[in-house]
Amino acid sequence: MNNVLGFLEAKLMPLAARTAQQPHLCAIRGAYVSFMPFIIVGSILLVISSFPNQTYQQFMSQAFGENWSAIVEIPFNAVFSTMALFISFLVAYRLAEQRADDRLSCGVLALVCFLILTPFLKVAENGGITVMPVEWIGTRGLFVAMIGSLLWTELFCWLKRKKLVIKMPDGVPPAVQESFAALIPALLVMILVLAIRIGFENTPYRTIHQFIYEVVATPVRHFGTSYFGALMTVFSITILWSVGINSGSMVNGIIRPLWMENQTDNIAAIQAGTTPPHIITEQFFDMIWMGGAGATLSLVIAMLIFARSKNMREVARLGAGASLFNINEPVLFGLPVIMNPIMLIPFNLVPLVLVTVQYVAMKIGAVAVTTGVFIPWTLPPVISGFIVTGHLSGSIMQLLNLLIGAMLYLPFIRIVDKQYRSAERNMENAANALAKQE
C-alpha cells in the first residue's frame, strides 16, 4: 500500500494539480460557481411549487389561486430556460480574467457569438416576427456555449496580442480605449462565427447546435451519466483526496455540464407529472457524499460508537458537527485518513459500494429518482435525500447508506483504534514510570 501511495504522490498529484490549474477548466468551473446561487434559488422555488403533498397543494391553491404554482415557477424557468446565455458570458468572463484581458468585452462577445450561431424562430411569416429559440438557449445549448466561449475568447485575446487594434491618442479615457481596442478583434471573430453558421446551414445538421448535440454531447453525456461513469466520478474524487487534493469542486466542475441536461429532463418530467427518466444527476451524488468525500459521516458514526482510544473519540467528537454539514477536513486530516494506508482502503471503497446499492435501488423503483432540484451542498443528510427525491424513500436510502458505510469502515477503524490504544498505553506507562522515578 505504501508503494501505491508513493506512486500516487509522485505521479498523480502533479498531474491533478496541473489539471486543477488548467485555465479553460478553471473558467468553466468558475462560471458554474458564479451561476450556482441562481440555480439553487430557482430550485427552491420549484420545490415550493411542486412539493409532493396533496394537502399542501390544496392549501396553496385555496390560499393563492389555482395558478399559484405557475407564477412561482416563473423565476425558475427564467434561470433554467436561458442558462446557456449566462454560461456563455461567464465562461468567457472567467477566462479573460485569467488572461488579464478585457473581461466585459470577452463576455459580451461570447454571448453575441452564441446568438449568431443560434437560429431564431419565425413565428409570424407575414409580420416577420422572430423569437429566441428556447431549445438551444437552455441546457441543450451548454456545450456550444462553453466550447464557443473558450474559442472566441482565446482568439479575441490572440488578435489583441498581435496588435490588431485601433490605437487611440494619449489622454483618451481608459474605458474608451478598451472599447476601440476591441473593435477589430471582435469584428474578425464575429465574421468567423457567421461563416461557421452559414457553413453548417449547408450540412444535414443545419446548425452547429444540432451537430454538437448529436455527435459530441449526447455520446459523452450517455457515458458520463451511466453507472460506470458514476463509479469513475466518485473514484476520481476519492483517489485525488487520498493524496490531499481537494478534488470535489474540480471534478464536479468538469462533469456538471453532463449532469445538467439530465436534471432539466427530470425537472420537466416532474412538472408534467411523470417519472423522472434519469438516475445519474448531481443530486444522486449529493445523496452519496454524506459527511463529504468518502461518505465520512459513516466513519464518524462508527468511531463514536465503537472507538475506544482517546485520540479517535476526540477526532470523532470534533468532526461530528462539521460532518453533518458535509465538511470533513477535520476528520480527513485529524484521524488522519489522507495518506493513511489503512483508512484509504474504505475511503475509496465505500463510495463505490454506495453508488452501486443506490443505483440498483433507483433502477428497480425501490427508491425515488432524484427530481433534478439543486440543493446547497452543506444540506444535512436525510433532509437532503427527501428534498432531492421529493419522497421519503430518499431519506431511507441515505440512512441505509450510512449503515452500509459504517459497516465497511468498522474493520479498518478497529485496526487503527488498536494502534492508537497501544500508543496511548505506552505513553501512560512511560508517564507512570517517570512519575515513580521522581
Side-chain angles (χ1 to χ4, degrees):
M1 188 65 185
N2 287 325
N3 291 335
V4 174
L5 288 177
F7 171 79
L8 292 177
E9 188 173 9
K11 303 295 183 180
L12 187 60
M13 195 169 182
L15 176 62
R18 287 196 298 271
T19 302
Q21 297 171 3
Q22 208 283 328
H24 303 103
L25 296 180
C26 287
I28 294 174
R29 185 168 64 248
Y32 277 99
V33 169
S34 298
F35 197 57
M36 189 56 65
F38 304 97
I39 295 176
I40 292 175
V41 170
S43 295
I44 292 173
L45 293 174
L46 182 63
V47 171
I48 293 172
S49 68
S50 305
F51 190 75
N53 183 278
Q54 192 64 32
T55 303
Y56 167 81
Q57 293 290 339
Q58 291 176 353
F59 169 78
M60 295 297 285
S61 296
Q62 293 172 359
F64 301 104
E66 293 294 331
N67 295 326
W68 75 274
S69 60
I71 296 173
V72 171
E73 289 176 9
I74 289 175
F76 164 81
N77 291 326
V79 171
F80 280 80
S81 298
T82 60
M83 187 180 301
L85 298 176
F86 298 107
I87 293 300
S88 65
F89 176 88
L90 289 171
V91 169
Y93 185 95
R94 292 301 182 189
L95 182 58
E97 191 173 51
Q98 296 183 65
R99 301 301 189 207
D101 212 311
D102 187 351
R103 294 169 294 179
L104 286 177
S105 293
C106 288
V108 173
L109 176 62
L111 179 57
V112 170
C113 290
F114 178 79
L115 292 175
I116 291 174
L117 293 171
T118 306
F120 281 33
L121 301 177
K122 186 171 291 188
V123 295
E125 292 288 344
N126 296 331
I129 301 174
T130 58
V131 296
M132 191 177 294
V134 175
E135 180 183 17
W136 297 119
I137 63 174
T139 54
R140 293 187 70 182
L142 283 175
F143 271 83
V144 172
M146 292 184 300
I147 296 171
S149 293
L150 297 175
L151 292 174
W152 318 141
T153 301
E154 289 288 14
L155 180 56
F156 178 86
C157 295
W158 180 80
L159 290 171
K160 288 185 69 176
R161 288 196 298 270
K162 294 300 180 180
K163 307 300 182 182
L164 292 175
V165 298
I166 297 176
K167 295 183 179 180
M168 301 297 291
D170 296 337
V172 175
V176 177
Q177 289 184 4
E178 288 183 357
S179 297
F180 277 88
L183 278 176
I184 295 178
L187 175 62
L188 294 175
V189 172
M190 290 167 65
I191 291 173
L192 172 63
V193 173
L194 181 60
I196 292 173
R197 171 173 172 162
I198 295 171
F200 272 97
E201 286 180 349
N202 294 289
T203 69
Y205 297 101
R206 303 299 298 169
T207 69
I208 191 174
H209 289 283
Q210 194 67 39
F211 171 78
I212 293 292
Y213 186 76
E214 292 186 16
V215 178
V216 180
T218 299
V220 171
R221 181 165 67 100
H222 177 74
F223 173 78
T225 60
S226 65
Y227 164 66
F228 181 75
L231 291 179
M232 291 300 98
T233 297
V234 296
F235 182 71
S236 62
I237 290 174
T238 54
I239 199 66
L240 291 173
W241 257 119
S242 298
V243 291
I245 298 174
N246 189 337
S247 52
S249 60
M250 179 179 72
V251 175
N252 290 350
I254 297 171
I255 305 178
R256 184 170 286 123
L258 306 181
W259 296 327
M260 195 70 69
E261 190 172 346
N262 281 9
Q263 292 162 201
T264 303
D265 291 344
N266 283 6
I267 289 170
I270 291 294
Q271 291 176 316
T274 59
T275 302
H278 302 293
I279 294 177
I280 304 300
T281 63
E282 185 168 356
Q283 294 72 46
F284 177 91
F285 299 97
D286 289 335
M287 295 178 64
I288 297 293
W289 297 131
M290 296 169 295
T296 49
L297 183 57
S298 293
L299 170 61
V300 171
I301 292 172
M303 287 194 296
L304 288 172
I305 297 174
F306 297 102
R308 295 294 176 263
S309 65
K310 295 179 181 178
N311 184 82
M312 188 171 280
R313 293 188 66 83
E314 186 65 20
V315 169
R317 282 194 293 268
L318 291 174
S323 294
L324 285 175
F325 297 95
N326 304 318
I327 300 169
N328 62 353
E329 279 82 356
V331 176
L332 293 181
F333 296 100
L335 187 57
V337 174
I338 304 303
M339 304 299 289
N340 185 332
I342 296 173
M343 293 309 303
L344 285 181
I345 296 173
F347 180 73
N348 285 276
L349 175 64
V350 167
L352 298 176
V353 174
L354 298 188
V355 164
T356 300
V357 172
Q358 185 169 293
Y359 183 89
V360 171
M362 290 183 173
K363 188 72 173 179
I364 65 176
V367 175
V369 175
T370 59
T371 62
V373 170
F374 285 81
I375 58 171
W377 63 272
T378 52
L379 197 65
V382 181
I383 297 174
S384 62
F386 175 74
I387 291 177
V388 299
T389 61
H391 198 274
L392 188 60
S393 62
S395 296
I396 296 173
M397 184 73 251
Q398 284 193 301
L399 291 173
L400 180 60
N401 283 341
L402 286 172
L403 177 61
I404 294 172
M407 292 174 62
L408 292 174
Y409 271 115
L410 183 57
F412 301 91
I413 289 174
R414 290 191 183 280
I415 296 172
V416 176
D417 190 43
K418 185 177 180 180
Q419 294 175 345
Y420 277 131
R421 279 189 293 166
S422 177
E424 289 168 0
R425 282 196 296 266
N426 291 337
M427 291 180 63
E428 289 175 1
N429 292 336
N432 292 335
L434 182 62
K436 289 180 180 179
Q437 291 177 0
E438 294 176 352

